[in-house]
Amino acid sequence: ESTAPQLRSKATEIEGSLRDAEKILPETTMIMYRRLVQAHGAAALAYVEGKSCSACNEILSPNSLVELNTGKFIFCRSCGRLLYRPGEG
């Protein structure tokens, strides 16, 4: 119980950072993102490792890779998670 106030403070700080990060999502993407968060929690996002989704190992199409590389928000066609490149953001 002695660390509870510090943990609450840290949780509030992290929630604020998350809200700031979510501001970059377009409204249509945000709707789908919220559904994913409700369904999968922290696993709503998946990084792209090489040419495949880290959540389901589905190989992305060349077109999807180009869209991802140009900064578009894309969802995995297999598992539906929002994809990102590690180290970005």
PDB file of all heavy atoms in Angstrom, residues 37-66:
ATOM      1  N   VAL A  37      -8.879  -2.738 -29.273  1.00  0.00           N
ATOM      2  CA  VAL A  37      -8.435  -2.622 -27.877  1.00  0.00           C
ATOM      3  C   VAL A  37      -9.433  -3.306 -26.946  1.00  0.00           C
ATOM      4  O   VAL A  37      -9.038  -3.994 -26.005  1.00  0.00           O
ATOM      5  CB  VAL A  37      -8.217  -1.144 -27.494  1.00  0.00           C
ATOM      6  CG1 VAL A  37      -8.007  -0.979 -26.002  1.00  0.00           C
ATOM      7  CG2 VAL A  37      -7.032  -0.575 -28.257  1.00  0.00           C
ATOM      8  N   GLN A  38     -10.723  -3.159 -27.231  1.00  0.00           N
ATOM      9  CA  GLN A  38     -11.730  -3.832 -26.419  1.00  0.00           C
ATOM     10  C   GLN A  38     -11.614  -5.349 -26.542  1.00  0.00           C
ATOM     11  O   GLN A  38     -11.776  -6.068 -25.565  1.00  0.00           O
ATOM     12  CB  GLN A  38     -13.142  -3.390 -26.817  1.00  0.00           C
ATOM     13  CG  GLN A  38     -13.492  -2.006 -26.336  1.00  0.00           C
ATOM     14  CD  GLN A  38     -14.899  -1.621 -26.733  1.00  0.00           C
ATOM     15  OE1 GLN A  38     -15.424  -2.067 -27.758  1.00  0.00           O
ATOM     16  NE2 GLN A  38     -15.519  -0.777 -25.925  1.00  0.00           N
ATOM     17  N   ALA A  39     -11.325  -5.820 -27.729  1.00  0.00           N
ATOM     18  CA  ALA A  39     -11.252  -7.260 -27.964  1.00  0.00           C
ATOM     19  C   ALA A  39      -9.927  -7.876 -27.522  1.00  0.00           C
ATOM     20  O   ALA A  39      -9.906  -8.986 -26.974  1.00  0.00           O
ATOM     21  CB  ALA A  39     -11.484  -7.564 -29.444  1.00  0.00           C
ATOM     22  N   HIS A  40      -8.814  -7.169 -27.765  1.00  0.00           N
ATOM     23  CA  HIS A  40      -7.499  -7.771 -27.552  1.00  0.00           C
ATOM     24  C   HIS A  40      -6.647  -7.085 -26.490  1.00  0.00           C
ATOM     25  O   HIS A  40      -5.544  -7.559 -26.206  1.00  0.00           O
ATOM     26  CB  HIS A  40      -6.706  -7.775 -28.874  1.00  0.00           C
ATOM     27  CG  HIS A  40      -7.343  -8.556 -29.957  1.00  0.00           C
ATOM     28  ND1 HIS A  40      -7.403  -9.930 -29.946  1.00  0.00           N
ATOM     29  CD2 HIS A  40      -7.968  -8.164 -31.094  1.00  0.00           C
ATOM     30  CE1 HIS A  40      -8.022 -10.354 -31.029  1.00  0.00           C
ATOM     31  NE2 HIS A  40      -8.380  -9.299 -31.741  1.00  0.00           N
ATOM     32  N   GLY A  41      -7.102  -5.961 -25.961  1.00  0.00           N
ATOM     33  CA  GLY A  41      -6.301  -5.249 -24.959  1.00  0.00           C
ATOM     34  C   GLY A  41      -4.977  -4.790 -25.539  1.00  0.00           C
ATOM     35  O   GLY A  41      -4.920  -4.247 -26.638  1.00  0.00           O
ATOM     36  N   ALA A  42      -3.909  -5.069 -24.817  1.00  0.00           N
ATOM     37  CA  ALA A  42      -2.571  -4.630 -25.241  1.00  0.00           C
ATOM     38  C   ALA A  42      -2.120  -5.299 -26.534  1.00  0.00           C
ATOM     39  O   ALA A  42      -1.219  -4.814 -27.195  1.00  0.00           O
ATOM     40  CB  ALA A  42      -1.559  -4.907 -24.137  1.00  0.00           C
ATOM     41  N   ALA A  43      -2.746  -6.398 -26.904  1.00  0.00           N
ATOM     42  CA  ALA A  43      -2.374  -7.118 -28.124  1.00  0.00           C
ATOM     43  C   ALA A  43      -3.119  -6.597 -29.352  1.00  0.00           C
ATOM     44  O   ALA A  43      -3.138  -7.250 -30.388  1.00  0.00           O
ATOM     45  CB  ALA A  43      -2.629  -8.613 -27.953  1.00  0.00           C
ATOM     46  N   ALA A  44      -3.708  -5.410 -29.271  1.00  0.00           N
ATOM     47  CA  ALA A  44      -4.436  -4.835 -30.406  1.00  0.00           C
ATOM     48  C   ALA A  44      -3.499  -4.411 -31.525  1.00  0.00           C
ATOM     49  O   ALA A  44      -3.918  -4.268 -32.663  1.00  0.00           O
ATOM     50  CB  ALA A  44      -5.273  -3.645 -29.952  1.00  0.00           C
ATOM     51  N   LEU A  45      -2.244  -4.223 -31.197  1.00  0.00           N
ATOM     52  CA  LEU A  45      -1.235  -3.826 -32.178  1.00  0.00           C
ATOM     53  C   LEU A  45      -0.282  -4.988 -32.410  1.00  0.00           C
ATOM     54  O   LEU A  45      -0.045  -5.802 -31.523  1.00  0.00           O
ATOM     55  CB  LEU A  45      -0.427  -2.637 -31.658  1.00  0.00           C
ATOM     56  CG  LEU A  45      -1.226  -1.368 -31.442  1.00  0.00           C
ATOM     57  CD1 LEU A  45      -0.689  -0.603 -30.266  1.00  0.00           C
ATOM     58  CD2 LEU A  45      -1.178  -0.528 -32.684  1.00  0.00           C
ATOM     59  N   ALA A  46       0.243  -5.046 -33.618  1.00  0.00           N
ATOM     60  CA  ALA A  46       1.250  -6.059 -33.941  1.00  0.00           C
ATOM     61  C   ALA A  46       2.312  -5.415 -34.809  1.00  0.00           C
ATOM     62  O   ALA A  46       2.007  -4.624 -35.696  1.00  0.00           O
ATOM     63  CB  ALA A  46       0.616  -7.237 -34.668  1.00  0.00           C
ATOM     64  N   TYR A  47       3.552  -5.745 -34.543  1.00  0.00           N
ATOM     65  CA  TYR A  47       4.622  -5.197 -35.373  1.00  0.00           C
ATOM     66  C   TYR A  47       4.858  -6.101 -36.574  1.00  0.00           C
ATOM     67  O   TYR A  47       4.474  -7.265 -36.585  1.00  0.00           O
ATOM     68  CB  TYR A  47       5.904  -4.990 -34.559  1.00  0.00           C
ATOM     69  CG  TYR A  47       6.526  -6.246 -34.006  1.00  0.00           C
ATOM     70  CD1 TYR A  47       7.470  -6.952 -34.741  1.00  0.00           C
ATOM     71  CD2 TYR A  47       6.176  -6.715 -32.746  1.00  0.00           C
ATOM     72  CE1 TYR A  47       8.048  -8.108 -34.238  1.00  0.00           C
ATOM     73  CE2 TYR A  47       6.751  -7.865 -32.232  1.00  0.00           C
ATOM     74  CZ  TYR A  47       7.678  -8.560 -32.975  1.00  0.00           C
ATOM     75  OH  TYR A  47       8.246  -9.697 -32.484  1.00  0.00           O
ATOM     76  N   VAL A  48       5.450  -5.523 -37.587  1.00  0.00           N
ATOM     77  CA  VAL A  48       5.770  -6.278 -38.802  1.00  0.00           C
ATOM     78  C   VAL A  48       7.226  -6.703 -38.691  1.00  0.00           C
ATOM     79  O   VAL A  48       8.124  -5.878 -38.540  1.00  0.00           O
ATOM     80  CB  VAL A  48       5.540  -5.420 -40.066  1.00  0.00           C
ATOM     81  CG1 VAL A  48       6.008  -6.157 -41.306  1.00  0.00           C
ATOM     82  CG2 VAL A  48       4.070  -5.057 -40.174  1.00  0.00           C
ATOM     83  N   GLU A  49       7.421  -8.003 -38.732  1.00  0.00           N
ATOM     84  CA  GLU A  49       8.760  -8.578 -38.653  1.00  0.00           C
ATOM     85  C   GLU A  49       9.103  -9.125 -40.024  1.00  0.00           C
ATOM     86  O   GLU A  49       8.494 -10.094 -40.480  1.00  0.00           O
ATOM     87  CB  GLU A  49       8.799  -9.682 -37.601  1.00  0.00           C
ATOM     88  CG  GLU A  49      10.159 -10.249 -37.374  1.00  0.00           C
ATOM     89  CD  GLU A  49      10.168 -11.201 -36.183  1.00  0.00           C
ATOM     90  OE1 GLU A  49       9.108 -11.563 -35.664  1.00  0.00           O
ATOM     91  OE2 GLU A  49      11.272 -11.576 -35.781  1.00  0.00           O
ATOM     92  N   GLY A  50      10.031  -8.460 -40.689  1.00  0.00           N
ATOM     93  CA  GLY A  50      10.340  -8.837 -42.067  1.00  0.00           C
ATOM     94  C   GLY A  50       9.161  -8.453 -42.945  1.00  0.00           C
ATOM     95  O   GLY A  50       8.882  -7.278 -43.147  1.00  0.00           O
ATOM     96  N   LYS A  51       8.438  -9.456 -43.400  1.00  0.00           N
ATOM     97  CA  LYS A  51       7.257  -9.208 -44.235  1.00  0.00           C
ATOM     98  C   LYS A  51       5.990  -9.781 -43.620  1.00  0.00           C
ATOM     99  O   LYS A  51       4.970  -9.914 -44.293  1.00  0.00           O
ATOM    100  CB  LYS A  51       7.457  -9.837 -45.616  1.00  0.00           C
ATOM    101  CG  LYS A  51       8.579  -9.207 -46.410  1.00  0.00           C
ATOM    102  CD  LYS A  51       8.704  -9.862 -47.761  1.00  0.00           C
ATOM    103  CE  LYS A  51       9.839  -9.230 -48.557  1.00  0.00           C
ATOM    104  NZ  LYS A  51       9.979  -9.837 -49.881  1.00  0.00           N
ATOM    105  N   SER A  52       6.032 -10.145 -42.333  1.00  0.00           N
ATOM    106  CA  SER A  52       4.871 -10.800 -41.739  1.00  0.00           C
ATOM    107  C   SER A  52       4.418 -10.146 -40.441  1.00  0.00           C
ATOM    108  O   SER A  52       5.185  -9.486 -39.745  1.00  0.00           O
ATOM    109  CB  SER A  52       5.170 -12.279 -41.510  1.00  0.00           C
ATOM    110  OG  SER A  52       6.226 -12.432 -40.603  1.00  0.00           O
ATOM    111  N   CYS A  53       3.155 -10.375 -40.130  1.00  0.00           N
ATOM    112  CA  CYS A  53       2.532  -9.885 -38.906  1.00  0.00           C
ATOM    113  C   CYS A  53       3.079 -10.692 -37.728  1.00  0.00           C
ATOM    114  O   CYS A  53       3.102 -11.920 -37.769  1.00  0.00           O
ATOM    115  CB  CYS A  53       1.019 -10.057 -39.020  1.00  0.00           C
ATOM    116  SG  CYS A  53       0.110  -9.762 -37.489  1.00  0.00           S
ATOM    117  N   SER A  54       3.482 -10.019 -36.675  1.00  0.00           N
ATOM    118  CA  SER A  54       4.039 -10.711 -35.517  1.00  0.00           C
ATOM    119  C   SER A  54       2.976 -11.458 -34.711  1.00  0.00           C
ATOM    120  O   SER A  54       3.305 -12.365 -33.958  1.00  0.00           O
ATOM    121  CB  SER A  54       4.772  -9.728 -34.607  1.00  0.00           C
ATOM    122  OG  SER A  54       3.871  -8.773 -34.076  1.00  0.00           O
ATOM    123  N   ALA A  55       1.708 -11.103 -34.872  1.00  0.00           N
ATOM    124  CA  ALA A  55       0.648 -11.754 -34.101  1.00  0.00           C
ATOM    125  C   ALA A  55       0.207 -13.080 -34.714  1.00  0.00           C
ATOM    126  O   ALA A  55      -0.010 -14.054 -34.009  1.00  0.00           O
ATOM    127  CB  ALA A  55      -0.554 -10.825 -33.968  1.00  0.00           C
ATOM    128  N   CYS A  56       0.098 -13.121 -36.045  1.00  0.00           N
ATOM    129  CA  CYS A  56      -0.436 -14.328 -36.686  1.00  0.00           C
ATOM    130  C   CYS A  56       0.509 -14.935 -37.715  1.00  0.00           C
ATOM    131  O   CYS A  56       0.204 -15.975 -38.301  1.00  0.00           O
ATOM    132  CB  CYS A  56      -1.784 -14.025 -37.343  1.00  0.00           C
ATOM    133  SG  CYS A  56      -1.675 -12.895 -38.751  1.00  0.00           S
ATOM    134  N   ASN A  57       1.635 -14.280 -37.961  1.00  0.00           N
ATOM    135  CA  ASN A  57       2.653 -14.740 -38.918  1.00  0.00           C
ATOM    136  C   ASN A  57       2.181 -14.746 -40.370  1.00  0.00           C
ATOM    137  O   ASN A  57       2.812 -15.362 -41.221  1.00  0.00           O
ATOM    138  CB  ASN A  57       3.195 -16.118 -38.539  1.00  0.00           C
ATOM    139  CG  ASN A  57       3.924 -16.086 -37.233  1.00  0.00           C
ATOM    140  OD1 ASN A  57       4.716 -15.187 -36.988  1.00  0.00           O
ATOM    141  ND2 ASN A  57       3.640 -17.034 -36.353  1.00  0.00           N
ATOM    142  N   GLU A  58       1.097 -14.059 -40.647  1.00  0.00           N
ATOM    143  CA  GLU A  58       0.611 -13.929 -42.028  1.00  0.00           C
ATOM    144  C   GLU A  58       1.571 -13.036 -42.799  1.00  0.00           C
ATOM    145  O   GLU A  58       1.969 -11.966 -42.329  1.00  0.00           O
ATOM    146  CB  GLU A  58      -0.790 -13.310 -42.035  1.00  0.00           C
ATOM    147  CG  GLU A  58      -1.400 -13.165 -43.390  1.00  0.00           C
ATOM    148  CD  GLU A  58      -1.891 -14.481 -43.981  1.00  0.00           C
ATOM    149  OE1 GLU A  58      -2.029 -15.469 -43.225  1.00  0.00           O
ATOM    150  OE2 GLU A  58      -2.132 -14.511 -45.188  1.00  0.00           O
ATOM    151  N   ILE A  59       1.953 -13.466 -43.984  1.00  0.00           N
ATOM    152  CA  ILE A  59       2.828 -12.655 -44.835  1.00  0.00           C
ATOM    153  C   ILE A  59       1.986 -11.571 -45.487  1.00  0.00           C
ATOM    154  O   ILE A  59       0.943 -11.846 -46.079  1.00  0.00           O
ATOM    155  CB  ILE A  59       3.542 -13.526 -45.881  1.00  0.00           C
ATOM    156  CG1 ILE A  59       4.475 -14.510 -45.168  1.00  0.00           C
ATOM    157  CG2 ILE A  59       4.325 -12.659 -46.861  1.00  0.00           C
ATOM    158  CD1 ILE A  59       5.159 -15.502 -46.075  1.00  0.00           C
ATOM    159  N   LEU A  60       2.452 -10.331 -45.354  1.00  0.00           N
ATOM    160  CA  LEU A  60       1.720  -9.205 -45.922  1.00  0.00           C
ATOM    161  C   LEU A  60       1.951  -9.116 -47.420  1.00  0.00           C
ATOM    162  O   LEU A  60       3.010  -9.486 -47.922  1.00  0.00           O
ATOM    163  CB  LEU A  60       2.176  -7.893 -45.280  1.00  0.00           C
ATOM    164  CG  LEU A  60       1.558  -7.549 -43.928  1.00  0.00           C
ATOM    165  CD1 LEU A  60       1.999  -8.494 -42.846  1.00  0.00           C
ATOM    166  CD2 LEU A  60       1.898  -6.133 -43.556  1.00  0.00           C
ATOM    167  N   SER A  61       0.949  -8.611 -48.102  1.00  0.00           N
ATOM    168  CA  SER A  61       1.074  -8.423 -49.543  1.00  0.00           C
ATOM    169  C   SER A  61       2.071  -7.305 -49.812  1.00  0.00           C
ATOM    170  O   SER A  61       2.280  -6.429 -48.965  1.00  0.00           O
ATOM    171  CB  SER A  61      -0.285  -8.059 -50.156  1.00  0.00           C
ATOM    172  OG  SER A  61      -0.658  -6.751 -49.756  1.00  0.00           O
ATOM    173  N   PRO A  62       2.692  -7.311 -50.993  1.00  0.00           N
ATOM    174  CA  PRO A  62       3.607  -6.208 -51.330  1.00  0.00           C
ATOM    175  C   PRO A  62       2.931  -4.843 -51.228  1.00  0.00           C
ATOM    176  O   PRO A  62       3.539  -3.882 -50.759  1.00  0.00           O
ATOM    177  CB  PRO A  62       4.024  -6.521 -52.767  1.00  0.00           C
ATOM    178  CG  PRO A  62       3.897  -8.009 -52.880  1.00  0.00           C
ATOM    179  CD  PRO A  62       2.693  -8.344 -52.030  1.00  0.00           C
ATOM    180  N   ASN A  63       1.665  -4.772 -51.624  1.00  0.00           N
ATOM    181  CA  ASN A  63       0.927  -3.513 -51.552  1.00  0.00           C
ATOM    182  C   ASN A  63       0.781  -3.042 -50.099  1.00  0.00           C
ATOM    183  O   ASN A  63       0.950  -1.866 -49.801  1.00  0.00           O
ATOM    184  CB  ASN A  63      -0.449  -3.665 -52.202  1.00  0.00           C
ATOM    185  CG  ASN A  63      -1.156  -2.344 -52.347  1.00  0.00           C
ATOM    186  OD1 ASN A  63      -0.556  -1.369 -52.764  1.00  0.00           O
ATOM    187  ND2 ASN A  63      -2.432  -2.320 -52.001  1.00  0.00           N
ATOM    188  N   SER A  64       0.471  -3.972 -49.194  1.00  0.00           N
ATOM    189  CA  SER A  64       0.344  -3.620 -47.779  1.00  0.00           C
ATOM    190  C   SER A  64       1.666  -3.131 -47.210  1.00  0.00           C
ATOM    191  O   SER A  64       1.704  -2.182 -46.427  1.00  0.00           O
ATOM    192  CB  SER A  64      -0.148  -4.820 -46.969  1.00  0.00           C
ATOM    193  OG  SER A  64      -1.466  -5.148 -47.310  1.00  0.00           O
ATOM    194  N   LEU A  65       2.754  -3.760 -47.615  1.00  0.00           N
ATOM    195  CA  LEU A  65       4.072  -3.329 -47.144  1.00  0.00           C
ATOM    196  C   LEU A  65       4.407  -1.921 -47.623  1.00  0.00           C
ATOM    197  O   LEU A  65       4.940  -1.112 -46.867  1.00  0.00           O
ATOM    198  CB  LEU A  65       5.146  -4.322 -47.598  1.00  0.00           C
ATOM    199  CG  LEU A  65       5.125  -5.680 -46.903  1.00  0.00           C
ATOM    200  CD1 LEU A  65       6.060  -6.651 -47.599  1.00  0.00           C
ATOM    201  CD2 LEU A  65       5.484  -5.540 -45.436  1.00  0.00           C
ATOM    202  N   VAL A  66       4.059  -1.624 -48.877  1.00  0.00           N
ATOM    203  CA  VAL A  66       4.297  -0.282 -49.410  1.00  0.00           C
ATOM    204  C   VAL A  66       3.464   0.738 -48.633  1.00  0.00           C
ATOM    205  O   VAL A  66       3.959   1.794 -48.242  1.00  0.00           O
ATOM    206  CB  VAL A  66       3.985  -0.216 -50.925  1.00  0.00           C
ATOM    207  CG1 VAL A  66       3.939   1.218 -51.416  1.00  0.00           C
ATOM    208  CG2 VAL A  66       5.007  -1.021 -51.705  1.00  0.00           C
TER     209      VAL A  66
END
